[in-house]
Amino acid sequence: RGIEDKEPFTFDGVEMEANKMKLNIPHQLFIDNEFVDASDGATYNTINPADETPICKVSKATKEDVDRAVEAAKEAFEEGEWGKMNARDKGLLLYKLAELMEEHQEELATIESLDPGAVDTVALKTHIGMSIQTF
């Protein structure tokens, strides 16, 4: 049920260590179910607000990139598997998402604490924990 991937999902990530964990963080735009560079190749530094050091360079979307992302999302919603799926199967997928988030909550909280500067416990209990509990 749901979307079946024929190939493993891979991406070009930035590897770093934080909170005694090895992280591999995507730095590209996610459009039409794949990570891609900005159409003009532009990037910018995302900054750790705790110490104002660059975390990594990330793709800087253009208006055209945003338009392409919106169109791809609209098409996926209207023509893709999700739009054809019944509510029960959608619920099962959302529960699976919650299970995966719970399985990786320490890693998600670490990433959440890096980029917006959330305190570790707040990121784990509130940002990630409450997202999991939503399902």
Side-chain angles (χ1 to χ4, degrees):
R1 295 183 183 178
I3 299 169
E4 294 183 26
D5 288 329
K6 293 175 180 57
E7 298 176 17
F9 193 78
T10 59
F11 62 91
D12 176 32
V14 174
E15 293 182 5
M16 64 180 62
E17 190 167 322
N19 201 21
K20 300 179 185 174
M21 280 184 239
K22 290 187 180 198
L23 303 172
N24 189 14
I25 302 173
H27 62 90
Q28 297 170 293
L29 308 174
F30 191 71
I31 301 174
D32 203 11
N33 205 36
E34 64 181 347
F35 286 99
V36 296
D37 290 328
S39 57
D40 65 0
T43 62
Y44 69 98
N45 284 328
T46 183
I47 304 297
N48 181 339
D51 60 13
E52 297 184 350
T53 60
I55 297 170
C56 64
K57 288 192 176 296
V58 295
S59 293
K60 184 177 181 181
T62 64
K63 178 187 180 309
E64 291 77 20
D65 294 326
V66 173
D67 290 344
R68 199 172 110 223
V70 169
E71 187 57 37
K74 181 180 177 193
E75 183 178 331
F77 182 77
E78 293 175 352
E79 306 296 329
E81 293 297 317
W82 187 262
K84 298 172 189 169
M85 196 178 299
N86 65 50
R88 179 183 173 276
D89 289 343
K90 287 179 182 179
L92 291 173
L93 286 176
L94 290 172
Y95 280 125
K96 179 64 177 174
L97 174 60
E99 288 172 9
L100 288 169
M101 289 176 67
E102 189 167 31
E103 181 182 329
H104 296 279
Q105 64 184 337
E106 296 286 337
E107 180 181 356
L108 292 169
T110 297
I111 294 168
E112 184 68 7
S113 67
L114 283 175
D115 192 37
V119 176
D120 290 343
T121 53
V122 172
L124 182 62
K125 303 271 187 216
T126 305
H127 299 177
I128 304 304
M130 290 177 76
S131 295
I132 294 167
Q133 290 172 5
T134 300
F135 302 113

